[in-house]
């Protein structure tokens, strides 16, 4: 059976800057894979590359992305659009800016269902209400008639999660879906994602900078830094026996329930420095080789 | 916009108009030149002049004159024009429809042109042709309406005489209409020959008024479209498999419309102000053209009536713009 998502040797450059330096990772059907790394590591760029949403000035210089064995990069625009939103979905980072401010919630969910599933208008709204119930929104009919500014951030994120799972996707890319939310809402949203994943049978690429979140919901994980995967494996293995110094440093910097908060140590700058010079050495080696 | 806000705005209308009235009234009488000087034949006697001044009440103190005029206005009488010797209100009612129709036609042309250019610009986004569109719009913005009027007059009136260049309608044509909204009435009652004759006359002045405004609409709309397309919700729409044209139309356009109406709508007052010179250039019988005559003749009552009319139009326009923006933006609607 094909992996749901296969990324191989993916290199992405924005202008002269390398953003991804040969990333490889796999997401198996139904698996939740964590993609961890500090801000600027290239996590969002990887997600955007899969979704075909790279900024206009970014180029994929080499590598492959396959979805269920099909080469996403070689596909026609129309083929890819048939997959996006239906088989591959996104849970965005910022619920405040991710819904269209001038359209009712019902119209936004309804359009998606009509576009991908061909539901007639009434049926789409009925289904939209069911989806809102799934994400634990009370009075779904009332919420469908509201505009985004009329509901809370946590509720908006639920709406976005409902939209992501609306067409039973095989793969959901969740780009730090809890970062913009406050802590109590974060936990509820994580539980929700877990529940919907099981119900809809989706695999998730869960992007986060929070190892605590990874420990909670990801079976496997990849550690990204400066556009490189430094370490990957089963979450239990990686967190218990981290092999890379950077992973160990990240772990030491993560708050844990079984440890006093003052034991936290930030990632040593010397290590970051060393990783960056490694990355730049890699860049130069790549340039030296004839294309 | 909430009802309370609308009422607040409406309550402010009378004091605003009063302020405008005071300013015009005083300015007219402080600036040298008066209507009598413009109407008397050379060599009129001092006694004649005094008699005329008394006839029009100009010998009274300014405050007295103002009170008299204000009393008239309050009872719906704008006084009599000194140069045309007709009621100011009648003159305004006869001419205003011509100007409103011209401004409406210009607005329609400008919006159609502006939206088309903005859409072309946004579809070409990131390509070299986008620069050509932006540059063209910038150039159009630099040419004012009265200059367009002269250019169009020379081009299509004189050089290649395709269109009539003067008046609202041919004097030979028998206009058998009830209102002074010739174009609207003839369209509504199916008299398309008349409508066509009117449109032929209106086209060049309307185009002159429309071109700078079209450029403005194009610029604001294109910038708003580009801005909205970069927002998260539009980017995420791509991740839902919608095509770019569909996203531009359904997600981006409704958002871009809000700043475009808010900024562009207010600029309609400029277009309205532009009718003064453009109507003059095309001898179009609207209130703009009449305003120039009124000023030349120092026709105080007529000037005052015209200024009040323009003030009412500007206020109504601004209120209408705010209402439309509130309709377009749900974040403003519920307050
Ligand atoms: N639009 C852009 N133009 C240029 N560089 C960008 C752009 N977006 C992101 N980058 C750079 O790409 C790198 C990876 O960014 P990103 O994938 O957003 O990181 P994160 O891991 O925080 O999601 C960062 O160094 C960032 O500076
Ligand atoms: Mg990111």
């Amino acid at each position: 059976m094909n992996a749901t998502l296969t990324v191989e040797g993916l290199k992405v450059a924005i202008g002269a800057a390398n953003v991804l330096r040969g990333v490889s990772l796999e997401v198996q059907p139904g698996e939740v894979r964590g993609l961890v790394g500090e801000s600027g590591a290239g996590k969002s760029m990887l997600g955007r590359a899969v979704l075909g949403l790279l900024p206009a000035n970014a180029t994929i210089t080499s590598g492959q992305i396959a979805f269920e064995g099909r080469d996403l990069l070689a596909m026609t625009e129309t083929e890819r659009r048939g997959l996006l939103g239906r088989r591959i979905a996104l849970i965005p980072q910022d619920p405040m800016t991710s819904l269209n401010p001038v359209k009712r919630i019902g119209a936004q969910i309804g359009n998606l269902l009509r576009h991908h599933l061909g539901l007639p208008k009434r049926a789409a709204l009925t289904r939209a209400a069911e989806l809102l119930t799934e994400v634990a929104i009370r009075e779904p009919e009332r919420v469908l008639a509201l505009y985004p500014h009329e509901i809370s951030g946590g509720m908006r994120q639920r709406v976005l999660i409902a939209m992501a799972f609306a067409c039973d996707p095989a793969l959901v890319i969740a780009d730090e879906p809890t970062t913009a939310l406050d802590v109590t809402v974060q936990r509820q949203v994580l539980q929700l994602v877990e529940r919907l994943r099981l119900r809809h049978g989706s695999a998730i690429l869960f992007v986060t900078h929070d190892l605590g979140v990874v420990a909670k919901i990801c079976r496997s994980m990849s550690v990204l830094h400066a556009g490189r995967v430094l370490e990957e494996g089963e979450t239990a293995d990686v967190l218990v026996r981290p092999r890379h110094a950077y992973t160990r440093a990240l772990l030491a910097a993560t708050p844990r329930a079984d440890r006093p908060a003052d034991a936290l140590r930030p990632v040593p700058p010397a290590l970051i420095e060393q990783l960056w010079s490694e990355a730049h050495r890699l860049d130069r080696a790549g340039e030296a080789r004839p294309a | 916009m909430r009802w309370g806000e609308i009422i607040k705005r409406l309550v402010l209308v009378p004091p605003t108009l009063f302020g405008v009235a005071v300013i015009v009234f005083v300015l007219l009488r402080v600036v040298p030149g008066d209507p009598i000087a413009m109407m008397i034949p050379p060599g009129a006697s001092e006694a004649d002049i005094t008699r005329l001044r008394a006839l029009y009440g100009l010998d009274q103190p300014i405050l007295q004159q103002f009170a008299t005029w204000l009393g008239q206005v309050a009872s719906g009488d704008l006084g009599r024009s000194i140069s045309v010797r007709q009621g100011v209100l009648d003159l305004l009612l006869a001419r205003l429809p011509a100007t409103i129709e011209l401004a409406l036609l210009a607005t329609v042309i400008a919006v159609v042109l502006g939206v088309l250019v903005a859409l072309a610009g946004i579809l070409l986004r990131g390509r070299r042709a986008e620069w050509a569109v932006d540059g063209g719009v910038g150039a159009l913005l630099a040419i004012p309406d009265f200059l367009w009027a002269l250019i169009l007059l020379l081009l299509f009136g004189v050089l290649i005489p395709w269109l009539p260049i003067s008046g609202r309608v041919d004097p030979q044509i028998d206009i058998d209409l009830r209102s002074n909204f010739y174009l609207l009435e003839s369209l509504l009652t199916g008299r398309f020959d008349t409508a066509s004759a009117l449109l032929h006359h209106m086209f060049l002045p309307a185009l002159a008024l429309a071109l700078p405004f079209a450029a403005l609409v194009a610029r604001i709309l294109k910038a708003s479209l580009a801005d909205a397309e970069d927002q998260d919700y539009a980017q995420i729409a791509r991740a839902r498999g919608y095509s770019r044209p569909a996203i531009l139309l359904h997600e981006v356009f409704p958002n871009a419309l809000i700043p475009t109406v808010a900024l562009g709508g207010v600029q309609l007052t400029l277009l309205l102000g532009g009718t003064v010179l453009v109507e003059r250039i095309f001898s179009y019988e609207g209130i703009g053209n009449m305003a120039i005559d009124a000023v030349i003749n120092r026709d105080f009552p007529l000037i005052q009536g015209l200024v009040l009319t323009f003030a009412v139009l500007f206020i109504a326009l601004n209120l209408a713009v705010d209402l439309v923006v509130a309709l377009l933006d749900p974040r403003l609607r519920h307050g």
Side-chain angles (χ1 to χ4, degrees):
Chain A
M1 192 157 147
N2 279 322
T4 300
L5 176 69
T6 314
V7 177
E8 243 178 64
L10 186 67
K11 294 188 183 177
V12 171
I14 296 182
N18 290 313
V19 178
L20 296 180
R21 296 176 159 89
V23 171
S24 300
L25 63 77
E26 270 192 5
V27 182
Q28 299 300 331
E31 179 185 36
V32 184
R33 173 170 289 264
L35 183 62
V36 211
E38 292 169 305
S39 168
K43 308 183 295 294
S44 293
M45 283 298 151
L46 180 62
R48 296 181 71 155
V50 175
L51 294 163
L53 289 188
L54 286 174
N57 54 354
T59 43
I60 296 180
T61 49
S62 69
Q64 289 194 335
I65 306 176
F67 172 74
E68 299 185 324
R70 298 166 64 192
D71 187 343
L72 273 180
L73 300 179
M75 259 178 211
T76 64
E77 173 76 19
T78 319
E79 276 179 298
R80 189 168 40 217
R81 283 214 313 270
L83 291 177
L84 290 177
R86 191 174 59 87
R87 303 294 296 147
I88 308 176
L90 168 73
I91 303 175
Q93 173 165 2
D94 187 353
M96 304 316 273
T97 58
S98 298
L99 288 165
N100 193 328
V102 304
K103 300 178 88 177
R104 294 177 198 275
I105 304 292
Q108 304 197 38
I109 307 180
N111 284 349
L112 181 73
L113 296 169
R114 281 156 68 191
H115 179 69
H116 282 305
L117 307 180
L119 294 185
K121 201 165 186 168
R122 288 223 65 87
L125 278 182
T126 312
R127 178 80 188 114
E130 286 170 17
L131 286 164
L132 289 189
T133 312
E134 262 189 49
V135 292
I137 287 180
R138 268 163 299 182
E139 302 183 78
E141 273 86 11
R142 190 181 66 86
V143 173
L144 287 180
L146 297 178
Y147 289 95
H149 73 275
E150 296 173 305
I151 61 177
S152 70
M155 197 122 125
R156 290 188 214 189
Q157 191 59 298
R158 284 162 197 265
V159 169
L160 288 160
I161 291 170
M163 290 175 85
F165 286 99
C167 306
D168 302 317
L171 175 68
V172 172
I173 295 176
D175 191 351
E176 311 211 29
T178 58
T179 305
L181 304 173
D182 61 54
V183 185
T184 47
V185 183
Q186 273 186 19
R187 217 184 32 238
Q188 294 166 4
V189 166
L190 281 183
Q191 284 169 354
L192 206 61
V193 171
E194 182 64 11
R195 184 141 46 90
L196 265 77
R197 171 186 82 81
L198 289 170
R199 181 171 312 174
H200 295 266
S202 317
I204 300 187
L205 180 62
F206 200 102
V207 175
T208 178
H209 59 259
D210 186 346
L211 278 179
V213 169
V214 174
K216 266 193 216 105
I217 70 163
C218 300
R219 194 177 79 201
S220 58
M221 61 182 281
S222 303
V223 179
L224 196 69
H225 183 271
R228 289 191 299 157
V229 174
L230 299 180
E231 171 159 16
E232 67 102 30
E234 299 285 311
T235 305
D237 291 345
V238 174
L239 293 186
V240 175
R241 283 179 296 278
R243 276 164 298 156
H244 200 284
Y246 180 69
T247 316
R248 283 196 291 274
L250 277 185
L251 265 172
T254 305
R256 272 164 50 175
D258 58 359
R259 190 167 73 177
D262 52 87
L264 288 187
R265 270 168 294 138
V267 178
L271 177 59
I272 302 280
E273 194 64 31
Q274 183 203 330
L275 288 171
W276 274 109
S277 58
E278 258 176 55
H280 289 134
R281 205 167 335 120
L282 220 72
D283 290 348
R284 283 194 297 276
E287 276 160 31
R289 234 179 294 127
Chain B
M1 208 160 38
R2 279 158 300 178
W3 284 111
E5 188 142 341
I6 296 174
I7 291 168
K8 209 161 39 176
R9 297 277 295 272
L10 288 177
V11 167
L12 282 175
V13 171
T16 311
L17 288 178
F18 181 80
V20 171
V22 171
I23 293 171
V24 198
F25 203 90
V26 172
L27 271 183
L28 281 177
R29 281 155 183 81
V30 167
V31 172
D34 77 17
I36 309 304
M38 306 310 291
M39 66 195 289
I40 48 164
S45 73
E46 205 52 47
D48 287 344
I49 294 178
T50 314
R51 205 155 34 76
L52 272 172
R53 291 183 63 87
L55 181 64
Y56 289 104
L58 295 173
D59 52 344
Q60 308 276 329
I62 287 193
L63 209 62
Q64 176 72 51
Q65 289 184 40
F66 187 66
T68 311
W69 179 67
L70 208 62
Q72 284 178 344
V73 172
S75 64
D77 175 11
L78 291 176
R80 280 182 72 79
S81 154
I82 297 174
S83 58
V84 195
R85 288 151 219 265
Q86 285 181 36
V88 169
L89 192 61
D90 293 340
L91 281 170
L92 287 173
L93 289 180
R95 292 288 198 106
L96 185 59
T99 298
I100 289 181
E101 285 190 337
L102 184 64
L104 277 179
L105 182 63
T107 306
V108 170
I109 296 174
V111 168
V112 171
L113 283 179
V115 169
L116 287 178
V117 171
L119 288 178
I122 200 70
L123 282 172
L124 293 169
R125 200 175 178 201
R127 306 212 207 137
R128 204 157 302 163
E130 184 191 4
W131 289 64
V133 174
D134 288 349
V137 168
L140 275 185
L141 270 175
I143 306 176
D145 43 22
F146 61 87
L147 209 55
W148 277 120
L150 293 173
I151 294 170
L152 292 172
L153 187 79
L154 289 175
L155 216 56
F156 297 108
V158 180
L159 222 55
I160 325 165
W162 277 344
L163 289 166
I165 52 168
S166 141
R168 192 177 180 197
V169 73
D170 298 314
Q172 304 95 302
I173 286 198
D174 195 20
I175 292 275
D176 169 32
L177 297 166
R178 243 179 274 179
S179 73
N180 287 317
F181 288 97
Y182 291 173
L183 183 62
L184 291 176
E185 189 181 338
S186 57
L187 283 175
L188 289 177
T189 55
R191 275 171 270 189
F192 297 115
D193 290 352
T194 314
S196 155
L198 286 163
L199 281 172
H200 273 86
H201 279 82
M202 291 167 79
F203 184 70
L204 288 182
L207 189 61
L209 288 168
L211 284 173
F213 191 60
L216 197 81
V217 170
R219 168 170 285 188
I220 302 175
L221 182 58
K222 156 104 193 305
S224 308
L225 285 167
D227 189 51
E229 194 183 17
D230 290 339
Q231 300 297 311
D232 283 349
Y233 58 81
Q235 295 290 309
I236 288 162
R238 285 168 64 199
R240 299 210 176 102
Y242 298 118
S243 67
R244 181 157 185 255
I247 293 171
L248 286 176
L249 197 66
H250 298 301
E251 310 284 333
V252 172
F253 190 75
N255 280 283
L257 214 49
I258 297 167
T260 308
V261 172
L263 295 172
V266 176
Q267 303 287 333
L268 269 174
T269 52
L270 282 185
L271 186 148
L272 215 49
T275 59
V276 173
L277 284 175
V278 171
E279 284 184 2
R280 188 63 166 193
I281 292 169
F282 287 97
S283 315
Y284 185 85
E285 291 123 26
I287 58 169
N289 198 348
M290 189 162 71
I292 292 186
D293 285 326
V295 170
I296 292 175
N297 294 318
R298 304 286 194 280
D299 190 337
F300 289 175
L302 188 52
I303 296 174
Q304 285 155 199
L306 280 163
V307 169
L308 279 187
T309 306
F310 273 109
V312 169
L313 287 176
F314 285 10
I315 291 172
L317 208 59
N318 277 305
L319 195 61
V321 165
D322 287 352
L323 281 174
V324 173
V325 168
L327 276 180
L328 293 174
D329 192 344
R331 285 160 296 189
L332 299 177
R333 220 176 299 158
H334 306 287

